[in-house]
Amino acid sequence: MANVKECRTVVIAMDCSEYAQKAFDWYWGNIRRESDKLILVHVPEFHTVVQSPMEIADFTSLTNLYAEEEQMTKDFIEKLTTLLKDKHTNGKVSARYGRPGEVIVKVVEDEDADLIVTGSRGMGTIRRTILGSVSDYIIHHSPVPVIVCKH
């Protein structure tokens, strides 16, 4: 009989999408254990700054866009912290900058995690090939099992 670890460390990749929330909800409703330690990982991507038109690329406008993105990130981290408190669960929020897939795998290694749960946006083959997929990266580079919740 396999030796089951008393306390699992579970990393859940969280962005502001409905897919991440559904992945969290799936974890909570299906495989959660009372003794689990949750680590909600958020990797801000600063879409507004990167996707802003070149004509507004002056320093002041970019600084303002960056400040807005930073505030949205702080608000989202606060929301995740509240989620953990409301669920009365052992865990923490980890917000780090970088490429999402790489950061999530690094958190798993740093925290000696046992499992990753992530959502999937369901991109088509061409879009996934061009843009890359965070869940594909995690699946191929994770040292632990990965559950990809597809909705």
Side-chain angles (χ1 to χ4, degrees), residues 51-114:
Q51 296 173 358
S52 64
M54 291 306 289
E55 61 267 9
I56 66 161
D58 66 90
F59 181 73
T60 303
S61 296
L62 287 176
T63 301
N64 290 340
L65 287 173
Y66 182 80
E68 288 174 21
E69 290 275 359
E70 200 168 58
Q71 185 59 51
M72 287 190 311
T73 297
K74 286 179 183 177
D75 292 345
F76 187 65
I77 291 167
E78 191 173 301
K79 178 182 173 185
L80 294 176
T81 302
T82 300
L83 176 65
L84 289 176
K85 286 180 185 174
D86 289 349
K87 294 286 190 180
H88 305 287
T89 190
N90 178 26
K92 68 181 181 178
V93 176
S94 177
R96 300 186 187 184
Y97 295 97
R99 294 181 174 197
E102 292 174 12
V103 169
I104 293 162
V105 170
K106 178 76 171 122
V107 169
V108 166
E109 293 166 350
D110 292 350
E111 298 286 344
D112 194 27
D114 302 292

Side-chain angles (χ1 to χ4, degrees), residues 4-35:
V4 178
K5 191 174 174 183
E6 266 308 298
C7 177
R8 294 185 302 189
T9 300
V10 179
V11 168
I12 304 179
M14 298 295 292
D15 60 15
C16 298
S17 73
E18 66 180 285
Y19 307 102
Q21 184 60 51
K22 286 180 180 180
F24 178 91
D25 293 342
W26 184 89
Y27 157 80
W28 195 264
N30 291 283
I31 64 169
R32 176 189 161 268
R33 293 182 192 160
E34 190 75 31
S35 60

